[in-house]
Amino acid sequence: MKIGFVGLGSMGAAIARNLIDAGHDVQVFNRSPARAEPLREAGASIASSPAQAALGADVVFTMVADDAAHAAVTFGEAGIATTLKPGALHISMSTISVATAQDHAAKYREACLAFVSAPVFGRPDAAAARKLFIMAAGADEHLKVAVPLLETLGQSVGIVGEDPSQANLVKLIGNFMLSVIIETLGEACAVAGKAGIDPMRLVELLTSANFNAPPYKIYGPLIASQQFQPPGFSLPLGQKDNRLMLAAAEALGVPLPLASLVHDRFLTLRSQGLGAEHDWSAVALCALSDAGLSKAFHGS
Amino acid sequence: MKIGFVGLGSMGAAIARNLIDAGHDVQVFNRSPARAEPLREAGASIASSPAQAALGADVVFTMVADDAAHAAVTFGEAGIATTLKPGALHISMSTISVATAQDHAAKYREACLAFVSAPVFGRPDAAAARKLFIMAAGADEHLKVAVPLLETLGQSVGIVGEDPSQANLVKLIGNFMLSVIIETLGEACAVAGKAGIDPMRLVELLTSANFNAPPYKIYGPLIASQQFQPPGFSLPLGQKDNRLMLAAAEALGVPLPLASLVHDRFLTLRSQGLGAEHDWSAVALCALSDAGLSKAFHGS
Amino acid sequence: MKIGFVGLGSMGAAIARNLIDAGHDVQVFNRSPARAEPLREAGASIASSPAQAALGADVVFTMVADDAAHAAVTFGEAGIATTLKPGALHISMSTISVATAQDHAAKYREACLAFVSAPVFGRPDAAAARKLFIMAAGADEHLKVAVPLLETLGQSVGIVGEDPSQANLVKLIGNFMLSVIIETLGEACAVAGKAGIDPMRLVELLTSANFNAPPYKIYGPLIASQQFQPPGFSLPLGQKDNRLMLAAAEALGVPLPLASLVHDRFLTLRSQGLGAEHDWSAVALCALSDAGLSKAFHGS
Amino acid sequence: MKIGFVGLGSMGAAIARNLIDAGHDVQVFNRSPARAEPLREAGASIASSPAQAALGADVVFTMVADDAAHAAVTFGEAGIATTLKPGALHISMSTISVATAQDHAAKYREACLAFVSAPVFGRPDAAAARKLFIMAAGADEHLKVAVPLLETLGQSVGIVGEDPSQANLVKLIGNFMLSVIIETLGEACAVAGKAGIDPMRLVELLTSANFNAPPYKIYGPLIASQQFQPPGFSLPLGQKDNRLMLAAAEALGVPLPLASLVHDRFLTLRSQGLGAEHDWSAVALCALSDAGLSKAFHGS
């Protein structure tokens, strides 16, 4: 299949490589071209713009950092929408806002272009290992094309519904739930630590019992050992998703006290000077620090 | 082995039966004798007091509702401590406060009696199926006796440490984490519901992805369908554990904003008239109700 | 003095009338012309656009509902900026965002137009009685003109600084503090009510003691008696100001847990169907309702 | 009038002196006798126990630090209740729990002794200047004796009702409301500080406008200047009252999210090492510190 791929961050690069390895003819584009080099070596051709990446493609993937980037690569001057051929499909894997996804869907519908939103759960190593959990939404006829392709990229594809933006909402809900797990582990490790129980031992006990899902296993040891660098998913990106969740919830009229708490944690961390060099699990630092246990800020 | 068993609530009865089925000689006691009948039929002998249940036993288990009951069956007039023979072991599976466990441990130490604290994660059906996750703490020589026995009652036994009360703290931390999952699912289902995504579908998508731990699988469908009766673990018991967690954290000097939030949820529910006939997952009702989605209170 | 006045809501109309009564030559504009009629009878001339209201004026006041209205009457096609004469002064009394005030200030500076931001504390009856508390910020030379005029409209004028947007920030901080008083009174009345102390008696006791500031005296009786209609300051406007405060704080990197709590209260109320016909002090209903005391929602 | 006075902390000593200055015959007792010396010089006689202070007295005042002290001086071995003559009146000005006041009232009723609870708002300087705000509750016949006396000690006496413990609840509610003002000022000063507005200027502007009640005027400058030493009302005493409020609210079934937030602030401060040498207004440090503005902890 002829595939365009736009956005070669650590997630996008891993996914694009899997597409190449699966034998597809892949044209990649990234704003900073250096990141495209390894993929050229792996067999991709390099496009000079999103429009060129989409030219002649059966499917175009996008995996970019935020709403602005998504709008630019899609509807900008040399954007995908300028060259996408009738019948071709745009699959957006980016974590973008519900509003932006709705806007995208409406514009494509009007232009008779095909759009599936398919954001993913998983860190770069999971992307490389085809272990992503993918949430997909779009019209049935578009999902028919997208799902078989997505199934080669992850360990499961959940069909959310016909409205592409609903997949984005589910993705935001999932990230919200992850952020609460991080905060929970911070508070739990703070209690353990002050009671003389090694937080790492606590995490082992809990993840060997009923808290045996990946998020507890991944974030538990990071938080217990206060290892927040290098970032798997950076603090500012986590903060962005928290904002998108709160904005979506506000538009729907849903109070989310847990998301508000995490929102304040992000602001606290940024005000202490933490940023893109930290993983978002550093949210747990606040609870640890408030309990007098943090090595990273609060008087250390 | 000759075993005493005190406390035949739905958890205790299931565990006692497993001990009988394993061939042990079990003497049971329950405050209201009717609950002992089915166990007599299964082969247990009925004791007329905790003291009598402990008489001659190698190991005595207790599984009672709260600190007061624990103190009464252990140190009351006809309590276990009045007859427990030297060298015999008391295993407490109850969820009691850290302070009560510390007090118990100190008194037993002074009296040269053996004590292991072994609270459990799991609902009555898990107890019956020997699928409990058990946290055990106590002196090495006592754990040597307790652990092989506990391993026949659950799917895993985690060794917390030498101080029995630390197992109780880990149990309270675990229940705290469960209560946050419940609140999280309430908020997540509220967002989904108002966005036109069936909350049950949301739960399926998430538990088929990375939120695949038992708490999400157990509580997710209950919350999505707002099925809070009958109780697997009752609202007042959940509220009690929340109080114990906050008390332990306060004694340690650890702020737990998540536990404070859940604390307020419990008070709200009780003030709307919900009680022992509801499962503690009804905590999720607050988020659903605040979003205008609850079938159970707030104007319906 | 020749004065333009744009925005004749209940606050604007009261202020405009005071300017007329003070002998100024006032040209008024309101989007819906009916509200201008009573002022015509009081001596004002009616302008057909903001631009016409500003034409030839020495000072133009604006008192509009939100950022969009402020931008429209100022920079729209027939906006004030199109006719404001060099040397004339624009005094904005609206509660608008810090960002909009900064944008306005920058554009006027570029166009060599004079701008003072002068938002007010006080309800319509206070505006009529010239009892407003006014916060003013702008360049010294502009304040020299504005302050004497403002002093005739309120009981005090506080000079915030040279940057007009700082007056808007102080206004948002003040409204934030009022919203917390409302929430506090809701929680306090809930405790009193359930303890058998008449909430109205509680309010009398507290406001006769050290809680003797206007907000406690004004909102206390409303909340104690659960009288949230008609609105003095409507629920949606209060919610808007809460959003503006949170946005300003986020831009500055300041977590505001109290504002986040109030934010969730607003969403809860809106989801129960409360709106513009309610005063923003209805925020207190949430605490009363959670305690089982509300007459207005939650099962009544 | 012959008066006993038990408890000569900074509040009690100031009140006792005012009673001496008013010409009463005052017998004082304090656990550490040194604090009684200045009062002896002012004309008091020194009692060797609470019982002796109450011996022959028409009225006995108590002003002690907490529930335990209150119980000891009243019902202990040499407590007031052992010597209080029939017809004599015990006026408790201490901030004690609702439960302790209820217990006291019940025991006195049974013993036909007279009890009025009369806790106060105001710091030591207000006590000395007879500027206290006093909340009084008790049987009418007892209030008839108490109120004229109390009126000489403060600027107002509010009658709460017949149940003495209700005065204690109102006092706890008042302190709860003060604690929220402190938190509010912390958040407000954090916003101002990061926006380049001097927090002290902010406080001046607000207290010159509608936030002109004593708490804003007293705590505002302390918080704006981060002056939390020496204590007027110490951090641990404030924390104790927060606990009493939460306990009373929990018993009544009332969630108090604001009190829960302040509860967590106290724990955070104690975990950073702050204690009795700090004023409770240090609660505001948390908001300032989270915003990166505190001089006192968090890495500075």
Side-chain angles (χ1 to χ4, degrees), chain C residues 6-7 29-31 49-51 54 60-64 66-82 90 94 104 108:
Chain C
V6 173
F29 171 78
N30 195 60
R31 205 170 35 173
S49 69
V60 181
F61 284 87
T62 49
M63 184 53 134
V64 296
D66 56 28
D67 285 46
H70 181 82
V73 303
T74 306
F75 299 110
E77 214 174 312
I80 292 161
T82 63
H90 181 160
S94 314
H104 185 152
Y108 266 42

Side-chain angles (χ1 to χ4, degrees), chain C residues 29-241:
Chain C
F29 171 78
N30 195 60
R31 205 170 35 173
S32 80
R35 293 196 58 94
E37 266 319 301
L39 291 164
R40 184 212 297 273
E41 284 161 30
S45 56
I46 311 285
S48 61
S49 69
Q52 202 195 351
L55 199 66
D58 303 304
V59 176
V60 181
F61 284 87
T62 49
M63 184 53 134
V64 296
D66 56 28
D67 285 46
H70 181 82
V73 303
T74 306
F75 299 110
E77 214 174 312
I80 292 161
T82 63
T83 56
L84 195 64
K85 69 181 184 194
L89 173 66
H90 181 160
I91 302 178
S92 162
M93 306 187 91
S94 314
T95 299
I96 54 172
S97 73
V98 172
T100 291
Q102 285 170 336
D103 181 61
H104 185 152
K107 284 180 176 151
Y108 266 42
R109 220 168 16 241
E110 211 169 302
C112 293
L113 292 170
F115 176 44
V116 161
S117 203
V120 306
F121 291 103
R123 299 186 143 215
D125 54 346
R130 303 169 188 266
K131 295 277 192 193
L132 295 171
F133 297 103
I134 304 174
M135 298 291 154
D140 279 354
E141 68 211 79
H142 305 151
L143 287 174
K144 245 178 241 164
V145 180
V147 171
L149 207 48
L150 293 169
E151 280 173 342
T152 70
L153 298 172
Q155 60 179 298
S156 83
V157 179
I159 307 300
V160 181
E162 294 186 13
D163 171 355
S165 75
Q166 291 195 333
N168 296 91
L169 184 62
V170 170
K171 166 65 184 168
L172 291 177
I173 290 173
N175 271 15
F176 155 64
M177 290 171 65
L178 291 176
S179 75
V180 178
I181 289 176
I182 289 168
E183 168 69 21
T184 305
L185 286 166
E187 298 188 15
C189 287
V191 171
K194 286 195 98 165
I197 300 174
D198 177 4
M200 194 61 89
R201 180 75 192 124
L202 174 75
V203 166
E204 286 164 11
L205 288 165
L206 293 169
T207 55
S208 303
N210 47 343
F211 298 92
N212 56 0
Y216 294 97
K217 290 183 181 167
I218 292 169
Y219 292 117
L222 296 177
I223 290 165
S225 61
Q226 300 194 21
Q227 285 271 356
F228 303 117
Q229 293 179 287
F233 180 61
S234 82
L235 190 60
L237 286 177
Q239 186 177 21
K240 179 207 70 173
D241 287 0

Side-chain angles (χ1 to χ4, degrees), chain A residues 243 250 253 255 257 263-264 268 271, chain C residues 243 250 253 255 257 263-264 268 271:
Chain A
R243 263 192 227 112
E250 179 152 342
H263 170 266
D264 289 344
T268 296
S271 288
Chain C
R243 263 191 228 111
E250 179 153 341
H263 170 265
D264 289 345
T268 297
S271 286

Side-chain angles (χ1 to χ4, degrees), chain D residues 136-189:
Chain D
D140 279 354
E141 68 212 78
H142 304 151
L143 287 174
K144 245 179 242 165
V145 179
V147 171
L149 209 48
L150 293 169
E151 280 173 342
T152 68
L153 299 172
Q155 61 181 296
S156 84
V157 180
I159 308 300
V160 181
E162 293 186 14
D163 172 354
S165 76
Q166 290 194 333
N168 296 91
L169 185 61
V170 171
K171 165 64 185 171
L172 291 177
I173 290 172
N175 271 15
F176 154 64
M177 291 171 64
L178 291 176
S179 74
V180 179
I181 289 176
I182 289 168
E183 169 69 20
T184 306
L185 286 165
E187 297 188 16
C189 287

